[in-house]
Amino acid sequence: MSYNTILTEVDDKVAVITLNRPQVLNALNDELMDELGNALLSFDADDKIACIIITGSEKAFAAGADIATMAKYGFNEVYRGDFISRNWEEIRKVRKPVIAAVSGFALGGGCELAMMCDTIMAADNAKFAQPEVKLGIIPGAGGTQRLPRAVSKAKAMDLALTGRMMDAVEAERSGLVARIFPQAELLKEVKVIAKTIAEMPLLTAMMVKEAINTSYETTLSEGIHFERRLFHACFATQDQKEGMAAFLEKRPAKFTNS
Ligand code: CAA
């Protein structure tokens, strides 16, 4: 499959999707979001892939939704066209782990796209912001909901009301980012993490993802009930038998994703 606005690469069991509109700092337009959704769902359906990385360029993960396109929109276009809902949330259907590898700007929709991923790894030059207020709009791709869950209400308000940029160190300290790497090492290091995840039993990794994501959608007691049922289901897999036998026999496990 060839795309105009993204690049795709497969490295063993890891798929890398690179946002590729360098002339506009990877501003997210309809074509890019359609292609990204298509690539994500294709890799999710591919049995050879176990983990997906979304990244951008050294200068920009993505500088937000495409302002040149949005500037022409009125209420009719965005409401009847179902802007954002129509094609930005395909990533939520992906059941395999997805890592955002963020270098440079992750602004507005770019920050929101990173937050839709399962975890965010940042380069030391990463900058995060929700600057929509300066354009006369509010964050529209989940920023007002995911950012406070990630960094606290106080910091989310600070960021979304001032539009200021937060650097990688502040983002890691605030809980938005899992780890920081030197910019030149980012993709190499994130591939190592993705390969580590890809070597885990796939069904179990998918259950970890599903259970943690459920914690954002439910009460504590319902979430724990859901976790307990998935935990019980693990005991129906071959990989539970193999993982525990390998531990007791002091040998590496050979998982079969079954
Ligand atoms: N949409 C469209 N084009 C964009 C863009 C965007 N979000 N961000 C940058 N570009 C374009 C610029 O217009 C410029 O194009 P030209 O060369 O044709 O002039 C090119 O990318 C390079 O950008 P700059 O010259 O501005 O580069 P810089 O290094 O001086 O500044 C920046 C970089 C600080 C990221 C600045 O480009 C900027 O502030 N961009 C906009 C960020 C923003 O407001 N994002 C939020 C968008 S709204 C949104 O995302 C809504 C939502 O919630 C879904």
PDB file of all heavy atoms in Angstrom, residues 21-25 27-28 59 63-68 70 83-84 88 105 107-110 112 130-132 135 137-141 165, ligand 1:
ATOM      1  N   ARG A  21       4.275  15.190   6.223  1.00  0.00           N
ATOM      2  CA  ARG A  21       3.957  16.427   5.491  1.00  0.00           C
ATOM      3  C   ARG A  21       4.948  17.498   5.972  1.00  0.00           C
ATOM      4  O   ARG A  21       4.564  18.452   6.656  1.00  0.00           O
ATOM      5  CB  ARG A  21       2.523  16.889   5.768  1.00  0.00           C
ATOM      6  CG  ARG A  21       1.430  15.943   5.294  1.00  0.00           C
ATOM      7  CD  ARG A  21       0.052  16.588   5.502  1.00  0.00           C
ATOM      8  NE  ARG A  21      -0.214  17.621   4.518  1.00  0.00           N
ATOM      9  CZ  ARG A  21      -0.976  18.709   4.747  1.00  0.00           C
ATOM     10  NH1 ARG A  21      -1.527  18.898   5.946  1.00  0.00           N
ATOM     11  NH2 ARG A  21      -1.182  19.591   3.802  1.00  0.00           N
ATOM     12  N   PRO A  22       6.247  17.307   5.663  1.00  0.00           N
ATOM     13  CA  PRO A  22       7.283  18.154   6.270  1.00  0.00           C
ATOM     14  C   PRO A  22       7.106  19.635   5.970  1.00  0.00           C
ATOM     15  O   PRO A  22       7.466  20.483   6.791  1.00  0.00           O
ATOM     16  CB  PRO A  22       8.590  17.613   5.674  1.00  0.00           C
ATOM     17  CG  PRO A  22       8.190  16.828   4.475  1.00  0.00           C
ATOM     18  CD  PRO A  22       6.810  16.316   4.724  1.00  0.00           C
ATOM     19  N   GLN A  23       6.511  19.955   4.799  1.00  0.00           N
ATOM     20  CA  GLN A  23       6.383  21.373   4.424  1.00  0.00           C
ATOM     21  C   GLN A  23       5.457  22.132   5.364  1.00  0.00           C
ATOM     22  O   GLN A  23       5.515  23.354   5.454  1.00  0.00           O
ATOM     23  CB  GLN A  23       5.918  21.497   2.952  1.00  0.00           C
ATOM     24  CG  GLN A  23       4.505  21.002   2.629  1.00  0.00           C
ATOM     25  CD  GLN A  23       4.338  19.463   2.565  1.00  0.00           C
ATOM     26  OE1 GLN A  23       5.246  18.697   2.902  1.00  0.00           O
ATOM     27  NE2 GLN A  23       3.160  19.028   2.147  1.00  0.00           N
ATOM     28  N   VAL A  24       4.589  21.424   6.089  1.00  0.00           N
ATOM     29  CA  VAL A  24       3.663  22.079   7.041  1.00  0.00           C
ATOM     30  C   VAL A  24       3.804  21.457   8.444  1.00  0.00           C
ATOM     31  O   VAL A  24       2.855  21.436   9.223  1.00  0.00           O
ATOM     32  CB  VAL A  24       2.196  22.013   6.554  1.00  0.00           C
ATOM     33  CG1 VAL A  24       1.955  22.992   5.417  1.00  0.00           C
ATOM     34  CG2 VAL A  24       1.793  20.596   6.157  1.00  0.00           C
ATOM     35  N   LEU A  25       5.007  20.977   8.758  1.00  0.00           N
ATOM     36  CA  LEU A  25       5.292  20.405  10.083  1.00  0.00           C
ATOM     37  C   LEU A  25       4.287  19.314  10.463  1.00  0.00           C
ATOM     38  O   LEU A  25       3.832  19.229  11.601  1.00  0.00           O
ATOM     39  CB  LEU A  25       5.328  21.514  11.151  1.00  0.00           C
ATOM     40  CG  LEU A  25       6.309  22.664  10.896  1.00  0.00           C
ATOM     41  CD1 LEU A  25       6.254  23.687  12.036  1.00  0.00           C
ATOM     42  CD2 LEU A  25       7.727  22.144  10.728  1.00  0.00           C
ATOM     43  N   ALA A  27       1.194  18.972   9.722  1.00  0.00           N
ATOM     44  CA  ALA A  27      -0.181  19.397  10.042  1.00  0.00           C
ATOM     45  C   ALA A  27      -1.133  18.297   9.562  1.00  0.00           C
ATOM     46  O   ALA A  27      -0.962  17.710   8.495  1.00  0.00           O
ATOM     47  CB  ALA A  27      -0.496  20.724   9.369  1.00  0.00           C
ATOM     48  N   LEU A  28      -2.132  18.047  10.392  1.00  0.00           N
ATOM     49  CA  LEU A  28      -3.000  16.882  10.194  1.00  0.00           C
ATOM     50  C   LEU A  28      -4.223  17.291   9.363  1.00  0.00           C
ATOM     51  O   LEU A  28      -5.100  18.011   9.850  1.00  0.00           O
ATOM     52  CB  LEU A  28      -3.428  16.340  11.567  1.00  0.00           C
ATOM     53  CG  LEU A  28      -2.248  16.006  12.508  1.00  0.00           C
ATOM     54  CD1 LEU A  28      -2.732  15.787  13.936  1.00  0.00           C
ATOM     55  CD2 LEU A  28      -1.486  14.784  12.002  1.00  0.00           C
ATOM     56  N   LYS A  59      11.823  17.747  13.566  1.00  0.00           N
ATOM     57  CA  LYS A  59      11.293  19.066  13.973  1.00  0.00           C
ATOM     58  C   LYS A  59       9.864  18.990  14.491  1.00  0.00           C
ATOM     59  O   LYS A  59       9.454  19.789  15.334  1.00  0.00           O
ATOM     60  CB  LYS A  59      11.365  20.046  12.794  1.00  0.00           C
ATOM     61  CG  LYS A  59      10.915  21.437  13.194  1.00  0.00           C
ATOM     62  CD  LYS A  59      11.282  22.535  12.211  1.00  0.00           C
ATOM     63  CE  LYS A  59      10.785  23.883  12.786  1.00  0.00           C
ATOM     64  NZ  LYS A  59      10.763  24.956  11.824  1.00  0.00           N
ATOM     65  N   ALA A  63       2.218  19.526  14.099  1.00  0.00           N
ATOM     66  CA  ALA A  63       1.937  20.879  14.631  1.00  0.00           C
ATOM     67  C   ALA A  63       0.446  21.150  14.718  1.00  0.00           C
ATOM     68  O   ALA A  63       0.036  22.310  14.759  1.00  0.00           O
ATOM     69  CB  ALA A  63       2.645  21.928  13.787  1.00  0.00           C
ATOM     70  N   GLY A  64      -0.359  20.090  14.716  1.00  0.00           N
ATOM     71  CA  GLY A  64      -1.797  20.280  14.946  1.00  0.00           C
ATOM     72  C   GLY A  64      -2.622  20.033  13.709  1.00  0.00           C
ATOM     73  O   GLY A  64      -2.101  19.675  12.649  1.00  0.00           O
ATOM     74  N   ALA A  65      -3.926  20.231  13.857  1.00  0.00           N
ATOM     75  CA  ALA A  65      -4.824  20.135  12.702  1.00  0.00           C
ATOM     76  C   ALA A  65      -4.405  21.205  11.696  1.00  0.00           C
ATOM     77  O   ALA A  65      -3.828  22.231  12.063  1.00  0.00           O
ATOM     78  CB  ALA A  65      -6.262  20.351  13.159  1.00  0.00           C
ATOM     79  N   ASP A  66      -4.703  20.962  10.413  1.00  0.00           N
ATOM     80  CA  ASP A  66      -4.273  21.861   9.347  1.00  0.00           C
ATOM     81  C   ASP A  66      -5.085  23.158   9.393  1.00  0.00           C
ATOM     82  O   ASP A  66      -6.278  23.156   9.067  1.00  0.00           O
ATOM     83  CB  ASP A  66      -4.425  21.159   7.991  1.00  0.00           C
ATOM     84  CG  ASP A  66      -3.730  21.933   6.893  1.00  0.00           C
ATOM     85  OD1 ASP A  66      -3.942  23.164   6.795  1.00  0.00           O
ATOM     86  OD2 ASP A  66      -2.966  21.319   6.134  1.00  0.00           O
ATOM     87  N   ILE A  67      -4.417  24.233   9.806  1.00  0.00           N
ATOM     88  CA  ILE A  67      -5.120  25.502  10.024  1.00  0.00           C
ATOM     89  C   ILE A  67      -5.592  26.097   8.694  1.00  0.00           C
ATOM     90  O   ILE A  67      -6.676  26.692   8.621  1.00  0.00           O
ATOM     91  CB  ILE A  67      -4.227  26.501  10.797  1.00  0.00           C
ATOM     92  CG1 ILE A  67      -3.854  25.903  12.171  1.00  0.00           C
ATOM     93  CG2 ILE A  67      -4.942  27.841  10.993  1.00  0.00           C
ATOM     94  CD1 ILE A  67      -2.772  26.676  12.921  1.00  0.00           C
ATOM     95  N   ALA A  68      -4.814  25.905   7.632  1.00  0.00           N
ATOM     96  CA  ALA A  68      -5.221  26.462   6.330  1.00  0.00           C
ATOM     97  C   ALA A  68      -6.550  25.852   5.878  1.00  0.00           C
ATOM     98  O   ALA A  68      -7.397  26.540   5.294  1.00  0.00           O
ATOM     99  CB  ALA A  68      -4.127  26.200   5.293  1.00  0.00           C
ATOM    100  N   MET A  70      -8.819  24.378   8.040  1.00  0.00           N
ATOM    101  CA  MET A  70      -9.864  24.719   9.025  1.00  0.00           C
ATOM    102  C   MET A  70     -10.345  26.155   8.891  1.00  0.00           C
ATOM    103  O   MET A  70     -11.504  26.457   9.197  1.00  0.00           O
ATOM    104  CB  MET A  70      -9.331  24.538  10.455  1.00  0.00           C
ATOM    105  CG  MET A  70      -9.328  23.126  10.949  1.00  0.00           C
ATOM    106  SD  MET A  70      -8.932  23.077  12.707  1.00  0.00           S
ATOM    107  CE  MET A  70      -7.340  23.846  12.764  1.00  0.00           C
ATOM    108  N   PHE A  83     -16.399  16.649  11.528  1.00  0.00           N
ATOM    109  CA  PHE A  83     -14.951  16.907  11.615  1.00  0.00           C
ATOM    110  C   PHE A  83     -14.371  16.279  12.888  1.00  0.00           C
ATOM    111  O   PHE A  83     -14.971  16.369  13.950  1.00  0.00           O
ATOM    112  CB  PHE A  83     -14.730  18.426  11.602  1.00  0.00           C
ATOM    113  CG  PHE A  83     -13.290  18.855  11.642  1.00  0.00           C
ATOM    114  CD1 PHE A  83     -12.315  18.190  10.908  1.00  0.00           C
ATOM    115  CD2 PHE A  83     -12.912  19.943  12.402  1.00  0.00           C
ATOM    116  CE1 PHE A  83     -10.991  18.594  10.943  1.00  0.00           C
ATOM    117  CE2 PHE A  83     -11.584  20.363  12.440  1.00  0.00           C
ATOM    118  CZ  PHE A  83     -10.626  19.682  11.714  1.00  0.00           C
ATOM    119  N   ILE A  84     -13.261  15.699  12.815  1.00  0.00           N
ATOM    120  CA  ILE A  84     -12.549  14.926  13.842  1.00  0.00           C
ATOM    121  C   ILE A  84     -13.196  13.553  14.024  1.00  0.00           C
ATOM    122  O   ILE A  84     -12.546  12.539  13.794  1.00  0.00           O
ATOM    123  CB  ILE A  84     -12.459  15.646  15.232  1.00  0.00           C
ATOM    124  CG1 ILE A  84     -11.844  17.040  15.072  1.00  0.00           C
ATOM    125  CG2 ILE A  84     -11.681  14.785  16.235  1.00  0.00           C
ATOM    126  CD1 ILE A  84     -10.402  17.097  14.668  1.00  0.00           C
ATOM    127  N   TRP A  88     -10.573  10.730  12.775  1.00  0.00           N
ATOM    128  CA  TRP A  88      -9.415  10.892  13.651  1.00  0.00           C
ATOM    129  C   TRP A  88      -9.318   9.785  14.699  1.00  0.00           C
ATOM    130  O   TRP A  88      -8.305   9.689  15.392  1.00  0.00           O
ATOM    131  CB  TRP A  88      -9.492  12.232  14.400  1.00  0.00           C
ATOM    132  CG  TRP A  88      -9.033  13.415  13.625  1.00  0.00           C
ATOM    133  CD1 TRP A  88      -9.501  13.844  12.413  1.00  0.00           C
ATOM    134  CD2 TRP A  88      -8.021  14.362  14.008  1.00  0.00           C
ATOM    135  NE1 TRP A  88      -8.850  14.985  12.024  1.00  0.00           N
ATOM    136  CE2 TRP A  88      -7.946  15.327  12.983  1.00  0.00           C
ATOM    137  CE3 TRP A  88      -7.194  14.486  15.127  1.00  0.00           C
ATOM    138  CZ2 TRP A  88      -7.054  16.403  13.046  1.00  0.00           C
ATOM    139  CZ3 TRP A  88      -6.308  15.555  15.187  1.00  0.00           C
ATOM    140  CH2 TRP A  88      -6.238  16.499  14.147  1.00  0.00           C
ATOM    141  N   PHE A 105       7.733  19.439  17.723  1.00  0.00           N
ATOM    142  CA  PHE A 105       6.417  19.954  18.120  1.00  0.00           C
ATOM    143  C   PHE A 105       5.329  18.869  18.129  1.00  0.00           C
ATOM    144  O   PHE A 105       5.172  18.135  17.158  1.00  0.00           O
ATOM    145  CB  PHE A 105       5.966  21.049  17.147  1.00  0.00           C
ATOM    146  CG  PHE A 105       6.871  22.252  17.123  1.00  0.00           C
ATOM    147  CD1 PHE A 105       7.607  22.566  15.985  1.00  0.00           C
ATOM    148  CD2 PHE A 105       6.990  23.079  18.234  1.00  0.00           C
ATOM    149  CE1 PHE A 105       8.445  23.673  15.959  1.00  0.00           C
ATOM    150  CE2 PHE A 105       7.827  24.191  18.219  1.00  0.00           C
ATOM    151  CZ  PHE A 105       8.557  24.488  17.076  1.00  0.00           C
ATOM    152  N   LEU A 107       1.672  19.698  18.899  1.00  0.00           N
ATOM    153  CA  LEU A 107       0.824  20.832  19.281  1.00  0.00           C
ATOM    154  C   LEU A 107      -0.619  20.565  18.873  1.00  0.00           C
ATOM    155  O   LEU A 107      -0.874  19.968  17.816  1.00  0.00           O
ATOM    156  CB  LEU A 107       1.306  22.105  18.579  1.00  0.00           C
ATOM    157  CG  LEU A 107       2.810  22.398  18.660  1.00  0.00           C
ATOM    158  CD1 LEU A 107       3.133  23.696  17.926  1.00  0.00           C
ATOM    159  CD2 LEU A 107       3.283  22.463  20.104  1.00  0.00           C
ATOM    160  N   GLY A 108      -1.551  21.030  19.676  1.00  0.00           N
ATOM    161  CA  GLY A 108      -2.960  20.897  19.317  1.00  0.00           C
ATOM    162  C   GLY A 108      -3.297  19.454  19.000  1.00  0.00           C
ATOM    163  O   GLY A 108      -3.073  18.536  19.805  1.00  0.00           O
ATOM    164  N   GLY A 109      -3.819  19.230  17.790  1.00  0.00           N
ATOM    165  CA  GLY A 109      -4.163  17.874  17.373  1.00  0.00           C
ATOM    166  C   GLY A 109      -2.972  16.924  17.398  1.00  0.00           C
ATOM    167  O   GLY A 109      -3.152  15.707  17.527  1.00  0.00           O
ATOM    168  N   GLY A 110      -1.762  17.460  17.294  1.00  0.00           N
ATOM    169  CA  GLY A 110      -0.563  16.609  17.374  1.00  0.00           C
ATOM    170  C   GLY A 110      -0.375  16.053  18.774  1.00  0.00           C
ATOM    171  O   GLY A 110      -0.069  14.870  18.962  1.00  0.00           O
ATOM    172  N   GLU A 112      -2.832  15.794  20.855  1.00  0.00           N
ATOM    173  CA  GLU A 112      -4.003  14.925  21.074  1.00  0.00           C
ATOM    174  C   GLU A 112      -3.807  13.558  20.422  1.00  0.00           C
ATOM    175  O   GLU A 112      -4.192  12.530  20.984  1.00  0.00           O
ATOM    176  CB  GLU A 112      -5.260  15.623  20.538  1.00  0.00           C
ATOM    177  CG  GLU A 112      -5.612  16.851  21.379  1.00  0.00           C
ATOM    178  CD  GLU A 112      -6.663  17.732  20.740  1.00  0.00           C
ATOM    179  OE1 GLU A 112      -6.484  18.148  19.577  1.00  0.00           O
ATOM    180  OE2 GLU A 112      -7.695  18.000  21.387  1.00  0.00           O
ATOM    181  N   GLN A 130      -1.375  22.751  23.854  1.00  0.00           N
ATOM    182  CA  GLN A 130      -2.757  22.822  23.336  1.00  0.00           C
ATOM    183  C   GLN A 130      -3.027  24.310  23.087  1.00  0.00           C
ATOM    184  O   GLN A 130      -3.632  24.995  23.912  1.00  0.00           O
ATOM    185  CB  GLN A 130      -3.747  22.245  24.365  1.00  0.00           C
ATOM    186  CG  GLN A 130      -3.588  20.780  24.663  1.00  0.00           C
ATOM    187  CD  GLN A 130      -3.891  19.813  23.533  1.00  0.00           C
ATOM    188  OE1 GLN A 130      -3.458  18.681  23.569  1.00  0.00           O
ATOM    189  NE2 GLN A 130      -4.619  20.232  22.503  1.00  0.00           N
ATOM    190  N   PRO A 131      -2.566  24.818  21.927  1.00  0.00           N
ATOM    191  CA  PRO A 131      -2.640  26.265  21.682  1.00  0.00           C
ATOM    192  C   PRO A 131      -3.924  26.717  20.992  1.00  0.00           C
ATOM    193  O   PRO A 131      -4.019  27.857  20.530  1.00  0.00           O
ATOM    194  CB  PRO A 131      -1.441  26.490  20.754  1.00  0.00           C
ATOM    195  CG  PRO A 131      -1.332  25.215  19.984  1.00  0.00           C
ATOM    196  CD  PRO A 131      -1.858  24.107  20.855  1.00  0.00           C
ATOM    197  N   GLU A 132      -4.942  25.829  20.933  1.00  0.00           N
ATOM    198  CA  GLU A 132      -6.143  26.143  20.150  1.00  0.00           C
ATOM    199  C   GLU A 132      -6.804  27.446  20.568  1.00  0.00           C
ATOM    200  O   GLU A 132      -7.380  28.157  19.753  1.00  0.00           O
ATOM    201  CB  GLU A 132      -7.165  24.995  20.268  1.00  0.00           C
ATOM    202  CG  GLU A 132      -6.783  23.712  19.540  1.00  0.00           C
ATOM    203  CD  GLU A 132      -5.950  22.763  20.392  1.00  0.00           C
ATOM    204  OE1 GLU A 132      -5.367  23.204  21.417  1.00  0.00           O
ATOM    205  OE2 GLU A 132      -5.878  21.578  20.023  1.00  0.00           O
ATOM    206  N   LEU A 135      -6.437  30.401  18.589  1.00  0.00           N
ATOM    207  CA  LEU A 135      -7.072  30.411  17.260  1.00  0.00           C
ATOM    208  C   LEU A 135      -8.588  30.594  17.364  1.00  0.00           C
ATOM    209  O   LEU A 135      -9.297  30.496  16.358  1.00  0.00           O
ATOM    210  CB  LEU A 135      -6.795  29.081  16.538  1.00  0.00           C
ATOM    211  CG  LEU A 135      -5.330  28.728  16.265  1.00  0.00           C
ATOM    212  CD1 LEU A 135      -5.224  27.284  15.781  1.00  0.00           C
ATOM    213  CD2 LEU A 135      -4.740  29.688  15.229  1.00  0.00           C
ATOM    214  N   ILE A 137     -10.602  28.536  19.022  1.00  0.00           N
ATOM    215  CA  ILE A 137     -11.271  27.236  19.179  1.00  0.00           C
ATOM    216  C   ILE A 137     -10.746  26.561  20.445  1.00  0.00           C
ATOM    217  O   ILE A 137      -9.728  26.991  20.998  1.00  0.00           O
ATOM    218  CB  ILE A 137     -11.055  26.285  17.954  1.00  0.00           C
ATOM    219  CG1 ILE A 137      -9.566  26.088  17.685  1.00  0.00           C
ATOM    220  CG2 ILE A 137     -11.783  26.819  16.735  1.00  0.00           C
ATOM    221  CD1 ILE A 137      -9.270  25.058  16.594  1.00  0.00           C
ATOM    222  N   ILE A 138     -11.447  25.515  20.867  1.00  0.00           N
ATOM    223  CA  ILE A 138     -10.924  24.729  21.983  1.00  0.00           C
ATOM    224  C   ILE A 138     -10.303  23.447  21.408  1.00  0.00           C
ATOM    225  O   ILE A 138     -10.569  23.094  20.254  1.00  0.00           O
ATOM    226  CB  ILE A 138     -12.029  24.385  23.018  1.00  0.00           C
ATOM    227  CG1 ILE A 138     -13.037  23.373  22.460  1.00  0.00           C
ATOM    228  CG2 ILE A 138     -12.736  25.659  23.485  1.00  0.00           C
ATOM    229  CD1 ILE A 138     -13.949  22.783  23.542  1.00  0.00           C
ATOM    230  N   PRO A 139      -9.491  22.741  22.183  1.00  0.00           N
ATOM    231  CA  PRO A 139      -8.989  21.451  21.698  1.00  0.00           C
ATOM    232  C   PRO A 139     -10.180  20.577  21.299  1.00  0.00           C
ATOM    233  O   PRO A 139     -11.161  20.505  22.036  1.00  0.00           O
ATOM    234  CB  PRO A 139      -8.251  20.877  22.912  1.00  0.00           C
ATOM    235  CG  PRO A 139      -7.868  22.075  23.722  1.00  0.00           C
ATOM    236  CD  PRO A 139      -9.005  23.047  23.541  1.00  0.00           C
ATOM    237  N   GLY A 140     -10.070  19.934  20.126  1.00  0.00           N
ATOM    238  CA  GLY A 140     -11.252  19.224  19.614  1.00  0.00           C
ATOM    239  C   GLY A 140     -11.041  17.751  19.371  1.00  0.00           C
ATOM    240  O   GLY A 140     -11.933  17.065  18.885  1.00  0.00           O
ATOM    241  N   ALA A 141      -9.859  17.239  19.707  1.00  0.00           N
ATOM    242  CA  ALA A 141      -9.593  15.817  19.465  1.00  0.00           C
ATOM    243  C   ALA A 141      -9.236  15.119  20.779  1.00  0.00           C
ATOM    244  O   ALA A 141      -8.355  14.266  20.831  1.00  0.00           O
ATOM    245  CB  ALA A 141      -8.486  15.645  18.424  1.00  0.00           C
ATOM    246  N   MET A 165       3.874  26.327  25.545  1.00  0.00           N
ATOM    247  CA  MET A 165       4.510  25.037  25.258  1.00  0.00           C
ATOM    248  C   MET A 165       5.155  24.465  26.517  1.00  0.00           C
ATOM    249  O   MET A 165       5.699  25.195  27.335  1.00  0.00           O
ATOM    250  CB  MET A 165       5.569  25.190  24.176  1.00  0.00           C
ATOM    251  CG  MET A 165       4.967  25.460  22.815  1.00  0.00           C
ATOM    252  SD  MET A 165       6.189  25.240  21.531  1.00  0.00           S
ATOM    253  CE  MET A 165       5.493  26.289  20.248  1.00  0.00           C
TER     254      MET A 165
HETATM  255  N1  CAA B   1      -1.567  23.927  10.026  1.00  0.00           N
HETATM  256  C1  CAA B   1      -1.156  24.310   8.811  1.00  0.00           C
HETATM  257  N2  CAA B   1       0.097  24.722   8.538  1.00  0.00           N
HETATM  258  C2  CAA B   1       0.984  24.745   9.540  1.00  0.00           C
HETATM  259  C3  CAA B   1       0.627  24.354  10.851  1.00  0.00           C
HETATM  260  C4  CAA B   1      -0.709  23.924  11.074  1.00  0.00           C
HETATM  261  N3  CAA B   1      -1.139  23.503  12.276  1.00  0.00           N
HETATM  262  N4  CAA B   1       1.711  24.496  11.644  1.00  0.00           N
HETATM  263  C5  CAA B   1       2.702  24.942  10.858  1.00  0.00           C
HETATM  264  N5  CAA B   1       2.265  25.082   9.588  1.00  0.00           N
HETATM  265  C6  CAA B   1       3.033  25.552   8.428  1.00  0.00           C
HETATM  266  C7  CAA B   1       3.296  27.047   8.485  1.00  0.00           C
HETATM  267  O1  CAA B   1       2.186  27.779   8.006  1.00  0.00           O
HETATM  268  C8  CAA B   1       4.523  27.154   7.579  1.00  0.00           C
HETATM  269  O2  CAA B   1       4.093  27.117   6.243  1.00  0.00           O
HETATM  270  P1  CAA B   1       4.736  28.168   5.181  1.00  0.00           P
HETATM  271  O3  CAA B   1       6.199  27.785   5.119  1.00  0.00           O
HETATM  272  O4  CAA B   1       4.008  27.904   3.902  1.00  0.00           O
HETATM  273  O5  CAA B   1       4.558  29.528   5.741  1.00  0.00           O
HETATM  274  C9  CAA B   1       5.270  25.863   7.844  1.00  0.00           C
HETATM  275  O6  CAA B   1       4.319  24.958   8.442  1.00  0.00           O
HETATM  276  C10 CAA B   1       6.411  26.022   8.835  1.00  0.00           C
HETATM  277  O7  CAA B   1       5.882  26.653   9.996  1.00  0.00           O
HETATM  278  P2  CAA B   1       6.514  28.006  10.612  1.00  0.00           P
HETATM  279  O8  CAA B   1       7.147  28.832   9.548  1.00  0.00           O
HETATM  280  O9  CAA B   1       5.433  28.636  11.430  1.00  0.00           O
HETATM  281  O10 CAA B   1       7.650  27.366  11.530  1.00  0.00           O
HETATM  282  P3  CAA B   1       8.226  27.929  12.896  1.00  0.00           P
HETATM  283  O11 CAA B   1       9.384  27.046  13.234  1.00  0.00           O
HETATM  284  O12 CAA B   1       8.476  29.404  12.788  1.00  0.00           O
HETATM  285  O13 CAA B   1       7.056  27.734  13.965  1.00  0.00           O
HETATM  286  C11 CAA B   1       5.310  26.471  15.092  1.00  0.00           C
HETATM  287  C12 CAA B   1       6.661  26.435  14.295  1.00  0.00           C
HETATM  288  C13 CAA B   1       5.550  27.140  16.445  1.00  0.00           C
HETATM  289  C14 CAA B   1       4.902  25.023  15.274  1.00  0.00           C
HETATM  290  C15 CAA B   1       4.258  27.266  14.302  1.00  0.00           C
HETATM  291  O14 CAA B   1       4.231  26.772  12.968  1.00  0.00           O
HETATM  292  C16 CAA B   1       2.869  27.155  14.869  1.00  0.00           C
HETATM  293  O15 CAA B   1       2.566  27.798  15.852  1.00  0.00           O
HETATM  294  N6  CAA B   1       1.998  26.309  14.243  1.00  0.00           N
HETATM  295  C17 CAA B   1       0.602  26.198  14.606  1.00  0.00           C
HETATM  296  C18 CAA B   1       0.412  25.411  15.890  1.00  0.00           C
HETATM  297  C19 CAA B   1      -1.041  25.359  16.275  1.00  0.00           C
HETATM  298  O16 CAA B   1      -1.683  26.350  16.551  1.00  0.00           O
HETATM  299  N7  CAA B   1      -1.582  24.131  16.324  1.00  0.00           N
HETATM  300  C20 CAA B   1      -2.961  23.885  16.716  1.00  0.00           C
HETATM  301  C21 CAA B   1      -3.821  23.749  15.510  1.00  0.00           C
HETATM  302  S1  CAA B   1      -5.566  23.666  15.929  1.00  0.00           S
HETATM  303  C22 CAA B   1      -5.881  22.038  16.285  1.00  0.00           C
HETATM  304  O17 CAA B   1      -5.018  21.210  16.299  1.00  0.00           O
HETATM  305  C23 CAA B   1      -7.336  21.716  16.560  1.00  0.00           C
HETATM  306  C24 CAA B   1      -7.593  20.431  17.224  1.00  0.00           C
HETATM  307  O18 CAA B   1      -7.630  20.319  18.433  1.00  0.00           O
HETATM  308  C25 CAA B   1      -7.904  19.229  16.446  1.00  0.00           C
END
